[in-house]
């Protein structure tokens, strides 16, 4: 047996580690900014680039793809090389991956504040960036699989399975959900519309949580927790069952984001069923993590790294219990559209992802720099600040969520809504937003202390780019230690290709069964004769609505509850959304639902409300949009947009693209006139506000016309 | 609604059943496998991450 000498690439781990730290701080700071914006609109700074609607997508993208994304790659590049006793497949690919990923993040940080967005949550980035993501992800995949192919360790440890599942599933999710038709370099329309777009989006959205925030981090947990505790994982057997069950079941659960919407009932039921089933494999992972520390709890008291990891895994357990509970229809009826969802995701993001990342950083940085951690005391301080930060973040939001949901649903003895004014339910929970922001501040303070601690550690240590190691070459024989040829899972653990195919089959089944019927459902969405395509002006207005990120705070989906039909009007029907590329149902009602806003108020109300919400709604926390009154609509692109819509199947008459601009001008002038009659003298027909008013006044009126 | 959708695709009625059966088979297979797994092999696998003894030089 020949012993081979080779080197681990530690530099790439350092790069991703530094990126994790830097983007983490950025993501937290943007988070704190938008938390302050919800307290008072003054923090929107009266500029279009920094409104809540544009910064919130920046925050989610930064937290998920920049902070956690770089954290994943840091952990994968470190653990993969060591688990497989092999340097990464190709150094050039490693560094293209690193710089490519940072370029994606930078593009997001530039385009999102500019209002360049797809308008789909966690998939906001426009088509050129989507292509870049695909290329870079494939490069990561080649590097991952390539390393596995040239490994010196015959068996693939459970972490490696999680990495493989992550690569294939994220690739699949991203490509399907990003199917879009470009109109210009910075604008495209998704190929799916309405109900179908919603299903594909939440199939993606939920599995982004599953395969970006969960499976890679479970892989990291299975490597770094045993390392930090210096003892093997509690049960390798449990990890096998838990892995397969998790990746198989997760992919089905997406529709729980769309309960009581216009999505067909059978899909909703599937989503609920599989969400409940998810408790088992999720808790399998949590228990495996926690039980690894059996008999070592005394060390948890002293070692901040283990503290971070224990609370991270506990947060994972809480959040994976809470999720299925929120997927129950009766619970969802209360929690959906409220801050409960925000609290829930932050238990996951701050608790599971954040604390595990911190734990790994505290373990990894001293090793990479060949020294001890600068200060264990500071790490302990960070631990308590982070943990308390999460408590102060989440509890007020749960409290506020229940308060607000109950206010939305409360009727008096005369069967009238007790709080018919939506704003009243917002101002009531503002104190909770103060406490939440304080929690966020604690969390950031902890993170800053970590940065100081880690930088000091780097200064006192010496970094080694290349770590020389020795390992026996992999032999071709398949004889195991007791002389028997491997069978069953042992067989598959040695064969990355067959393993990958099996993973793909497992995740495809759930996707296909849910999505194939939805492709064909077009003929099954009950069509409504009075629902017509948007006029060119309304289409332009809709794109402004998307660009400003209105969907971040306003839903367009009235659920069939009396409390909602009383407040907003007739509940939403699936046939009403057939021309919506993309759907704009939203997920949180910071402001009221807008699906039936059309013709509810006069044009002048909207004009005044957009220029300063306090004019019409004193105490409102909505940002003002004065630039919409000045900026002009891009008229030249109208024919292109109409043609794109025609390609996607929207039935504008043939050759309508040539007449669209004239129609747009006619409708815009009539709105400007009506504004003039209502006392608004400074409205110009070709400004964005006119297009937006046209869209808002159209919303939900196709059905009203029928009645 | 379910019936409408299923009726429009020939043979799709069998899809969820097949999916459930595959999942069930996979799950049962995994359970049977892990119970039959021998101890030394399990030990070998679970100790894989601990085999490279990278400790900070300061410790």
């Amino acid at each position: 047996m020949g012993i081979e000498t080779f080197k681990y690439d530690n530099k790439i781990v350092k790069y991703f580690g530094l990126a994790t730290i830097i983007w983490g701080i950025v993501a937290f700071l943007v988070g704190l900014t938008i938390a302050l914006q919800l307290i008072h609109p003054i923090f929107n700074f009266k500029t279009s680039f920094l409104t809540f609607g544009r910064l919130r997508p920046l925050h989610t993208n930064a937290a998920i793809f920049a902070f956690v994304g770089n954290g994943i790659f840091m952990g994968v590049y470190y653990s993969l090389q060591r688990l497989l006793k092999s340097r990464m497949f190709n150094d050039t690919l490693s560094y293209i991956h690193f710089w490519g990923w940072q370029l994606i993040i930078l593009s997001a940080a530039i385009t999102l504040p500019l209002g360049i967005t797809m308008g789909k949550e966690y998939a906001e980035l426009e088509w050129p960036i989507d292509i870049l993501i695909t290329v870079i992800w494939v490069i990561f995949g080649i590097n991952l699989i390539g390393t596995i192919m040239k490994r010196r360790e015959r068996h693939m440890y459970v972490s490696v399975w999680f990495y493989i599942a992550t690569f294939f599933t994220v690739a699949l999710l991203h490509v399907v959900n990003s199917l879009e038709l470009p109109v210009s370099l910075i604008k495209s329309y998704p190929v799916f519309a309405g109900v179908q777009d919603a299903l594909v989006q939440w199939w993606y959205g939920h599995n982004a949580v599953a395969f970006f925030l969960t499976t890679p981090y479970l892989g990291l947990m299975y490597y770094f927790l045993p390392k930090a505790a210096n003892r093997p994982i509690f049960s390798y057997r449990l990890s096998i069952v838990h892995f397969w069950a998790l990746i198989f079941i997760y992919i089905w659960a997406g529709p729980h984001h769309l309960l009581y919407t216009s999505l067909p009932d059978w899909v909703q039921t599937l989503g609920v069923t599989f969400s409940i089933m998810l408790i088992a494999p999720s808790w399998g992972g949590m228990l495996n993590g926690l039980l690894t520390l059996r008999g070592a709890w005394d060390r948890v008291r002293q070692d901040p790294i283990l503290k971070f990891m224990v609370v991270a895994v506990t947060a994972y357990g809480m959040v994976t219990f809470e999720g299925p509970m929120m997927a129950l229809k009766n619970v969802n009826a209360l929690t959906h559209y409220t801050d409960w969802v925000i609290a829930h995701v932050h238990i996951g993001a701050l608790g599971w992802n954040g604390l595990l990342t911190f734990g790994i950083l505290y373990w990894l940085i001293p090793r990479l720099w060949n020294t001890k951690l600068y200060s264990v005391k500071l790490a302990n301080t960070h631990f308590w600040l982070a943990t308390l930060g999460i408590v102060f973040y989440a509890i007020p939001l749960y409290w506020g969520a229940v308060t607000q949901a109950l206010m939305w649903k409360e009727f008096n003895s005369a069967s009238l809504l007790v709080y018919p004014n939506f704003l009243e339910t917002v101002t009531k929970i503002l104190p909770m937003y103060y406490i939440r922001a304080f929690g966020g501040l604690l969390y950031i303070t902890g993170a800053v202390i970590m940065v100081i601690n880690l930088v000091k550690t780097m200064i006192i240590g010496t970094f080694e780019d290349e770590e020389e190691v020795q390992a026996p070459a992999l032999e071709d024989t398949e004889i195991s230690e007791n002389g028997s040829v491997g069978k069953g899972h042992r067989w598959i653990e040695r064969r990355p290709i067959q393993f990958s195919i099996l993973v793909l089959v497992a995740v495809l089944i759930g996707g296909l069964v849910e999505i194939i019927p939805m492709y064909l459902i077009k003929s099954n969405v009950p069509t409504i004769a009075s629902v017509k395509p948007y006029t060119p002006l309304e289409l332009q207005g809709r794109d402004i609505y998307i660009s400003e990120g209105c969907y971040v705070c306003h839903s367009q989906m009235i659920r069939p509850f009396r409390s909602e039909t009383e407040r907003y009007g007739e509940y939403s029907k699936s046939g009403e959304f057939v021309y919506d590329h993309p759907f704009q149902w939203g997920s949180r009602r910071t402001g009221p639902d807008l699906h039936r806003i059309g013709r509810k108020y006069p044009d002048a109300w909207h004009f005044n409300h957009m220029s300063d919400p306090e004019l019409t709604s004193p105490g409102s926390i909505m940002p003002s949009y004065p630039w919409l009154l000045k900026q002009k609509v891009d008229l030249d692109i109208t024919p292109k947009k109409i043609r794109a819509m025609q390609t996607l199947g929207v039935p504008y008459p043939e050759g309508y693209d040539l007449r669209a601009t004239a129609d747009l001008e006619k409708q815009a002038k009539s709105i400007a006139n009506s504004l003039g009659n209502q006392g608004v003298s400074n409205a110009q027909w070709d400004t964005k506000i006119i297009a937006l008013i046209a869209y808002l006044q159209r919303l939900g009126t196709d059905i009203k016309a029928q009645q | 609604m379910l019936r409408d959708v299923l009726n429009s695709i020939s043979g799709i009625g069998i899809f969820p059943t097949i999916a459930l059966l595959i999942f069930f088979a996979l799950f049962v297979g995994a359970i049977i496998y892990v119970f039959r797994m021998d101890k030394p092999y399990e030990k070998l696998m679970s100790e894989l991450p601990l085999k490279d003894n990278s400790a900070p030089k300061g410790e």
Side-chain angles (χ1 to χ4, degrees):
Chain A
M1 195 188 292
I3 300 284
E4 294 177 347
T5 304
F6 58 98
K7 288 170 177 169
Y8 292 140
D9 184 0
N10 280 348
K11 201 165 115 190
I12 189 72
V13 183
K14 171 172 95 173
Y15 276 31
F16 276 118
L18 293 177
T20 307
I21 297 169
I22 294 165
W23 290 121
I25 297 289
V26 172
F28 304 154
L29 284 176
V30 180
L32 182 63
T33 310
I34 60 175
L36 292 174
Q37 290 178 336
L38 288 178
I39 292 172
H40 200 285
I42 197 167
F43 292 104
N44 289 282
F45 306 112
K46 293 227 173 190
T47 159
S48 63
F49 308 117
L50 300 175
T51 52
F52 185 84
R54 295 189 187 184
L55 279 196
R56 194 264 199 174
L58 183 67
H59 167 63
T60 52
N61 277 280
I64 300 171
F65 301 111
F67 171 57
V68 174
N70 279 304
I72 293 170
F73 302 134
M74 165 187 74
V76 168
Y77 276 86
Y78 183 85
S79 62
L80 193 72
Q81 297 188 79
R82 283 153 180 87
L83 282 170
L84 302 177
K85 301 216 167 23
S86 165
R87 190 185 177 85
M88 287 307 295
F89 172 63
N90 183 304
D91 283 2
T92 314
L93 291 185
S94 297
Y95 291 94
I96 295 177
H97 175 202
F98 175 79
W99 289 111
W101 195 258
Q102 311 316 314
L103 180 64
I104 292 165
I105 296 167
L106 200 64
S107 318
I110 293 167
T111 56
L112 292 173
L114 288 173
I116 298 166
T117 171
M118 292 288 300
K120 292 173 61 147
E121 283 182 79
Y122 326 125
E124 285 93 351
L125 305 179
E126 263 298 350
W127 68 273
I129 310 176
D130 278 342
I131 292 173
L132 185 62
I133 294 172
T134 313
V135 172
I136 297 300
W137 192 257
V138 168
I139 284 173
F140 164 57
I142 294 171
N143 218 4
L144 173 75
I145 304 291
T147 311
I148 295 172
M149 298 308 285
K150 61 165 219 177
R151 67 196 188 277
R152 291 187 182 80
E153 170 60 57
R154 186 179 304 283
H155 299 282
M156 290 192 293
Y157 181 64
V158 58
S159 295
V160 185
W161 320 345
F162 278 106
Y163 303 157
I164 293 176
T166 300
F167 166 67
F168 281 106
T169 316
V170 170
L172 177 76
L173 294 165
H174 172 68
V175 170
V176 174
N177 192 45
S178 301
L179 294 173
E180 56 221 12
L181 183 68
V183 181
S184 71
L185 189 66
I186 53 166
K187 177 72 197 163
S188 65
Y189 293 120
V191 298
F192 306 106
V195 181
Q196 291 152 330
D197 193 39
L199 181 69
V200 171
Q201 158 62 23
W202 284 112
W203 170 76
Y204 161 88
H206 181 72
N207 289 302
V209 174
F211 288 90
F212 207 88
L213 300 176
T214 307
T215 55
Y217 265 60
L218 282 170
L220 300 187
M221 178 195 85
Y222 274 114
Y223 180 81
F224 288 100
L225 185 59
K227 291 295 264 189
N230 199 24
R231 47 179 52 226
I233 194 72
F234 167 67
S235 169
Y236 179 73
R237 298 170 194 226
L238 177 57
S239 72
I240 293 182
V241 180
H242 136 74
F243 170 80
W244 287 108
L246 192 80
I247 66 161
F248 188 93
I249 296 176
Y250 236 129
I251 207 89
W252 296 72
H256 69 211
H257 290 259
L258 299 167
L259 300 180
Y260 290 112
T261 67
S262 308
L263 192 75
D265 276 349
W266 67 273
V267 189
Q268 296 188 25
T269 307
L270 264 182
V272 173
T273 312
F274 278 87
S275 302
I276 303 301
M277 285 165 69
L278 258 178
I279 295 181
S282 303
W283 276 43
M286 172 197 66
L287 292 173
N288 221 354
L290 288 182
L291 289 174
T292 299
L293 296 165
R294 74 203 179 288
W297 286 95
D298 54 315
R299 287 188 43 214
V300 177
R301 286 217 328 258
Q302 287 141 17
D303 186 355
I305 296 172
L306 288 179
K307 281 184 202 168
F308 274 111
M309 290 183 176
V310 164
V311 178
V313 175
T314 309
Y316 175 65
M318 292 195 296
V319 87
T320 52
F321 177 76
E322 187 188 21
M325 292 303 109
M326 291 165 76
L328 292 170
K329 284 187 102 171
N330 49 352
V331 179
N332 194 272
L334 185 88
T335 60
H336 195 51
Y337 295 132
T338 71
D339 280 322
W340 193 298
V341 182
I342 320 297
H344 170 68
V345 299
H346 281 85
I347 298 282
L350 300 176
W352 165 238
N353 296 113
L355 297 189
L356 194 63
T357 309
F358 301 148
I360 293 171
L361 282 168
Y362 282 123
W363 186 86
L364 197 57
I365 300 291
R367 272 163 186 78
L368 291 177
W369 267 264
N370 287 309
T371 183
K372 270 189 182 171
L373 185 63
Y374 169 71
S375 165
V376 173
K377 207 172 167 187
L378 282 181
N380 274 316
T381 311
H382 176 199
F383 169 76
W384 284 110
L385 283 172
T387 307
L388 280 175
I390 295 171
V391 172
F392 275 101
Y393 185 100
I395 291 177
L397 283 192
Y398 287 128
W399 192 283
V402 176
T403 306
Q404 194 176 31
L406 293 176
M407 286 174 88
W408 287 344
K409 288 173 186 292
E410 194 170 347
F411 284 95
N412 62 20
S413 54
S415 246
L416 294 169
L417 286 168
V418 176
Y419 304 99
N421 182 5
F422 187 93
L423 188 54
E424 216 178 330
T425 73
V426 178
T427 46
K428 179 87 181 171
I429 61 168
L430 282 185
M432 298 298 146
Y433 286 170
Y434 283 91
I435 309 175
R436 180 262 293 268
F438 173 69
L441 185 66
L442 284 183
Y443 196 86
I444 295 174
T445 311
V448 170
I449 289 175
M450 175 191 75
V451 173
I452 296 167
N453 201 356
L454 292 181
V455 169
K456 290 264 190 192
T457 307
M458 292 173 197
I459 291 170
I460 55 174
T462 43
F463 184 77
E464 212 180 339
D465 275 357
E466 309 275 330
E467 186 178 330
E468 194 172 281
V469 278
Q470 289 184 322
L474 189 60
E475 289 177 75
D476 289 337
T477 53
E478 292 197 359
I479 310 297
S480 64
E481 280 173 6
N482 59 8
S484 66
V485 176
K487 279 190 221 129
H489 210 270
R490 196 182 302 183
W491 180 85
I492 200 86
E493 276 159 21
R494 295 172 178 180
R495 287 170 179 74
I497 303 296
Q498 288 90 332
F499 185 91
S500 305
I501 292 170
L502 205 57
V503 165
L504 257 183
V505 170
V507 296
L508 274 173
I509 290 172
L512 289 178
V513 172
E514 272 177 5
I515 293 192
I516 286 189
M518 290 308 290
Y519 272 105
L520 298 153
I521 215 167
K522 199 157 193 175
S523 55
N524 292 292
V525 174
T527 48
I528 303 170
S530 61
V531 174
K532 298 276 186 279
Y534 294 107
T535 67
L537 186 66
E538 289 158 5
L539 187 64
Q540 290 277 18
R542 189 168 201 275
D543 288 340
I544 295 163
Y545 183 97
I546 292 167
S547 170
E548 293 297 345
C550 304
Y551 67 95
V552 167
C553 291
H554 295 280
S555 59
Q556 287 188 19
M557 172 49 64
I558 301 163
R559 297 178 293 177
F561 301 144
R562 197 171 146 254
S563 60
E564 300 211 354
T565 53
E566 282 294 307
R567 185 182 296 278
Y568 304 118
E570 180 68 16
Y571 69 88
S572 308
K573 319 281 193 295
S574 52
E576 290 183 81
F577 303 101
V578 290
Y579 305 125
D580 283 11
H581 298 266
F583 81 112
Q584 290 286 285
W585 293 359
S587 62
R588 164 78 183 111
R589 284 179 185 151
T590 303
D593 187 280
L594 297 181
H595 192 212
R596 303 272 176 232
I597 193 76
R599 292 194 227 141
K600 197 172 172 181
Y601 303 107
D603 291 348
W605 186 92
H606 286 292
F607 187 93
N608 293 327
H609 182 244
M610 295 305 296
S611 67
D612 183 4
E614 294 243 36
L615 289 177
T616 54
S617 322
S620 168
I621 57 170
M622 180 167 137
S624 50
Y625 292 83
W627 54 90
L628 293 182
L629 277 57
K630 296 190 194 94
Q631 289 177 1
K632 308 277 180 194
V633 173
D634 179 6
L635 294 175
D636 298 339
I637 205 174
T638 313
K640 259 188 166 174
K641 286 187 170 175
I642 297 290
R643 282 196 293 275
M645 284 293 168
Q646 284 172 321
T647 312
L648 296 174
V650 178
Y652 290 109
E654 188 125 338
Y656 184 68
D657 53 321
L658 302 172
R659 307 197 300 274
T661 312
D663 276 9
L664 183 150
E665 189 174 335
K666 199 170 138 199
Q667 192 186 1
K669 284 183 171 159
S670 117
I671 291 175
N673 268 338
S674 95
L675 281 172
N677 296 337
Q678 291 163 26
V680 179
S681 52
N682 55 340
Q684 293 180 343
W685 71 270
D686 55 353
T687 49
K688 285 185 174 175
I689 185 74
I690 303 289
L692 187 64
I693 290 175
Y695 172 61
L696 291 173
Q697 293 290 35
R698 168 70 185 273
L699 269 175
T701 53
D702 286 349
I703 287 220
K704 278 187 191 168
Q706 198 183 35
Q707 284 164 347
Chain B
M1 192 71 221
L2 174 58
R3 199 173 302 142
D4 290 346
V5 176
L6 296 187
N7 285 346
S8 69
I9 311 158
S10 59
I12 197 159
I14 201 78
F15 272 40
T17 319
I18 292 173
L20 187 68
L21 284 177
I22 294 174
F23 170 65
F24 193 69
L26 192 89
F27 191 72
V28 169
I31 299 251
I32 291 173
Y33 171 72
V34 296
F35 274 101
R36 292 184 57 199
M37 184 192 290
D38 55 64
K39 276 262 172 206
Y41 178 71
E42 191 195 353
K43 195 164 178 294
L44 169 89
M45 286 306 287
S46 57
E47 285 176 355
L48 271 185
L50 302 176
K51 278 205 243 161
D52 67 294
N53 297 312
S54 59
K57 290 213 171 118
E59 277 177 17

